[in-house]
Amino acid sequence: MIKKVIEDALNQQLTREMYSSNLYLSMAGFYHSINLSGFANWMRVQAQEEMFHALKLFDYILDRGGKAKIGEISAPPSNWQTPLEAFEASYNHEQLVTGWINELADLAIKEGDHATHILMQWYITEQVEEEATVSDIVARLKLAGDNPSSLFLIDNELKSRTFNPPAA
Ligand code: OFO
């Protein structure tokens, strides 16, 4: 049976993952509105990944005999000044998420909850990959600057991203 303090912290993270999903779907809408359909596709897939992260926590809480509870989810922003600004916001958000995951891993150690600590290793690895991917796109957007053909090339590349559930 899961300890209440761990259950509460996991439910908080579950809610945060759902916010992340909404944030990226909102970014997909933003990119669509400025005719960058590849960026929109990438963010839409990212929203699906975040919902996968949320569902993984949901299932884990249930498997441990806890009660999954969705907390209040605030509305994400819906507008950014430039294509770069939205991706920078995504990078900042991922760094915040990494901090929360690390706190959860620390809590699992403090409470002697080895199963939750193992679960957190999955999220820690996932965060390394996400931060690296987003930071790479931010760097390329900075290089592209105001050059429409460079932006077009990146947009074209991001069109090919599809949702493949990450390995469990
Ligand atoms: Fe973007 O990360 Fe979830 O955890």
Side-chain angles (χ1 to χ4, degrees):
M1 186 78 183
I2 199 167
K3 284 186 184 170
K4 179 84 170 68
V5 64
I6 299 278
E7 181 188 288
D8 288 348
L10 291 174
N11 273 318
Q12 185 179 40
Q13 187 59 30
L14 159 62
T15 305
R16 287 166 169 166
E17 299 288 349
M18 294 178 81
Y19 172 81
S20 299
S21 183
N22 289 349
L23 173 65
Y24 294 135
L25 197 57
S26 181
M27 287 182 178
F30 161 70
Y31 283 118
H32 188 82
S33 76
I34 56 170
N35 300 310
L36 288 171
S37 60
F39 283 87
N41 172 63
W42 194 97
M43 284 296 176
R44 188 187 178 104
V45 172
Q46 192 58 27
Q48 288 176 289
E49 285 232 356
E50 296 300 346
M51 190 50 74
F52 181 90
H53 295 169
L55 291 173
K56 192 173 174 77
L57 286 168
F58 182 88
D59 288 340
Y60 175 80
I61 294 165
L62 299 184
D63 284 349
R64 294 285 311 278
K67 184 164 183 353
K69 283 183 228 140
I70 315 297
E72 196 170 294
I73 302 170
S74 56
S78 56
N79 214 17
W80 292 267
Q81 294 308 309
T82 61
L84 172 62
E85 194 185 278
F87 248 97
E88 281 181 326
S90 162
Y91 184 57
N92 292 339
H93 182 70
E94 286 309 319
Q95 288 180 297
L96 200 59
V97 173
T98 298
W100 290 330
I101 297 290
N102 286 338
E103 281 171 18
L104 263 166
D106 288 345
L107 180 68
I109 292 169
K110 181 169 162 265
E111 295 297 327
D113 187 335
H114 299 287
T116 299
H117 192 241
I118 289 170
L119 179 75
M120 284 307 117
Q121 306 311 301
W122 186 89
Y123 284 89
I124 289 166
T125 306
E126 187 76 359
Q127 282 309 118
V128 170
E129 189 194 307
E130 289 201 340
E131 277 195 33
T133 308
V134 175
S135 140
D136 177 63
I137 298 172
V138 166
R140 288 164 62 198
L141 274 168
K142 282 184 178 162
L143 277 177
D146 290 333
N147 184 333
S149 46
S150 302
L151 200 57
F152 177 78
L153 280 178
I154 303 172
D155 189 61
N156 221 16
E157 194 186 315
L158 299 185
K159 274 188 185 118
S160 62
R161 186 181 188 195
T162 54
F163 176 61
N164 303 303

